[in-house]
Amino acid sequence: MPQTTAEELRPRIALTLGDPAGIGPELAVRLLATPGNLDRAEVHVLSDAAEFKAVAGEFGADVRVADVATPGHAVLVGSNLSGQPVARRTVSREAGERVMSDLRKALSLYQAGTVDAIMFTPLNKASLHLAGMHEEDELRWFAKNLDYTGTTSELNFVPGLVTSRVTSHIPLKDVAARINAGSVLAAIRLLDDVIKGSGIEAPRLAVCALNPHAGENGQFGREEIDHIGPGIEAARAEGIDASGPYPCDTVFIKARDGRFDGVVTMYHDQGQIAMKLMGFDRGVTVQGGLPVPIATPSHGTAFEIVGKRIAHLGPTQHAYDLTVALGRRVRQRG
């Protein structure tokens, strides 16, 4: 059989500059200027030549660009709103419009078969809502724009550990009603699949309880007995190495010590608090379950440091590394 060449395995990535009012543009050009990054993937940047030159110049980023895919160069594919003025360091409708326009174009590049994966630098949900986003978060917005109705979950990565959520951006009072064996199983499957895509062949997964002390045999609630436990058993029947439910106040200690590769959490802050304590400056979010891999650094737009050239590149680099790995997996699958 003919062997796949390194060039054929280079994933094609759509990269947006994120919220133009925040640190996203700085992070994007510095990422592309980092030696070796443009050798690992074919990066399609949603910016035009004038805008990109101005941003790269402001932050001293030396990035080679081209109009067509060329090794070691970024491909500028333009942005429908690159010329629209946007006030920096503040929430605005104009900033949200630019972000949504670029993300729609990134999705269209994927649907046209031009890219294998998408990465965006930080955005601001308040600006997105001012611009007309009605979904609770960008994950649901992506699903709607892709006409995708399958299981989705934000996945959060820090080096050595990944989490998924059974529920996400909903009121805490609504969480228990959303937990059932099927939703738990779906979150386990999704976490297992994405971790495998990042390079771990047999992930070890822990599943959090909902109630204190994992429900204490039903004294503090029956979700563990009636829903979470059955979801875990169904996953194990499929060959997934999942165990639990574990009390959430101790499971991350075991995960930190290397006993697990991933943790399924029941609600947003149950996992986010632990993950940010373990690696706030290294965190990456993946829009899990969608037909196309989409990743972003886990932090926000950091208006207070815009233009100061001090934005930490670590999470953006980790997001890029993961996007490359997931995009390469797409190309391998054909």
Side-chain angles (χ1 to χ4, degrees):
M1 290 181 61
Q3 292 187 342
T4 302
T5 66
E7 179 64 24
E8 289 171 333
L9 284 177
R10 289 175 74 234
R12 301 164 303 169
I13 297 171
L15 173 66
T16 82
L17 302 186
D19 189 318
I23 58 173
E26 173 187 348
L27 293 171
V29 296
R30 288 175 53 202
L31 173 76
L32 297 175
T34 299
N37 277 343
L38 285 173
D39 296 322
R40 299 164 55 205
E42 179 183 305
V43 183
H44 298 247
V45 185
L46 276 75
S47 179
D48 62 26
E51 176 186 60
F52 191 83
K53 181 179 179 180
V55 175
E58 178 180 358
F59 297 105
D62 182 12
V63 183
R64 292 181 292 174
V65 299
D67 295 326
V68 296
T70 306
H73 293 67
V75 182
L76 301 182
V77 296
S79 167
N80 295 331
L81 296 179
S82 61
Q84 175 172 277
V86 175
R88 301 174 80 177
R89 306 179 188 90
T90 188
V91 169
S92 71
R93 174 181 56 81
E94 292 80 9
E97 287 174 343
R98 170 65 188 270
V99 170
M100 285 200 290
S101 176
D102 285 352
L103 291 177
R104 285 193 189 97
K105 182 167 183 174
L107 291 176
S108 71
L109 292 173
Y110 158 71
Q111 291 169 321
T114 303
V115 301
D116 308 300
I118 296 169
M119 177 180 163
F120 60 94
T121 53
L123 47 76
N124 186 288
K125 286 184 175 61
S127 291
L128 292 174
H129 290 147
L130 286 175
M133 178 184 283
H134 301 297
E135 292 72 29
E136 60 198 44
D137 53 33
E138 58 270 27
L139 175 57
R140 276 72 188 177
W141 184 87
F142 283 127
K144 179 181 178 181
N145 280 268
L146 289 166
D147 292 323
Y148 182 73
T149 58
T151 299
T152 59
S153 172
E154 282 192 348
L155 305 177
N156 293 100
F157 287 67
V158 294
L161 184 65
V162 190
T163 64
S164 68
R165 310 170 191 162
V166 176
T167 70
S168 189
H169 296 108
I170 64 172
L172 194 57
K173 66 181 179 60
D174 296 335
V175 167
R178 301 277 189 98
I179 294 173
N180 55 63
S183 62
V184 172
L185 174 60
I188 295 172
R189 283 173 174 161
L190 186 56
L191 185 61
D192 183 69
D193 183 64
V194 172
I195 294 179
K196 286 177 178 175
S198 71
I200 297 176
E201 294 184 3
R204 301 160 300 164
L205 307 182
V207 181
C208 284
L210 174 66
N211 297 297
H213 303 184
E216 200 76 77
N217 295 319
Q219 293 187 55
F220 303 146
R222 291 192 55 85
E223 285 79 10
E224 290 74 19
I225 297 170
D226 295 339
H227 306 300
I228 302 173
I232 295 169
E233 290 306 312
R236 293 185 64 83
E238 296 180 1
I240 298 174
D241 184 3
S243 59
Y246 297 104
C248 70
D249 59 352
T250 57
V251 68
F252 282 96
I253 298 173
K254 299 173 183 177
R256 179 199 62 191
D257 293 342
R259 288 184 54 184
F260 301 111
D261 303 300
V263 178
V264 177
T265 63
M266 295 298 116
Y267 58 92
H268 184 279
D269 285 3
Q270 189 179 56
Q272 286 295 85
I273 293 171
M275 293 289 281
K276 290 186 177 182
L277 283 170
M278 292 172 68
F280 180 75
D281 61 346
R282 297 174 294 168
V284 176
T285 299
V286 171
Q287 313 294 314
L290 297 172
V292 54
I294 304 177
T296 185
S298 293
H299 60 75
T301 44
F303 291 150
E304 69 279 5
I305 61 170
V306 170
K308 296 183 178 180
R309 300 191 180 195
I310 60 173
H312 182 36
L313 190 61
T316 300
Q317 182 65 57
H318 287 303
Y320 182 75
D321 295 341
L322 187 57
T323 306
V324 169
L326 295 174
R328 184 179 296 121
R329 188 188 190 198
V330 171
R331 290 192 71 74
Q332 289 171 332
R333 286 176 169 177

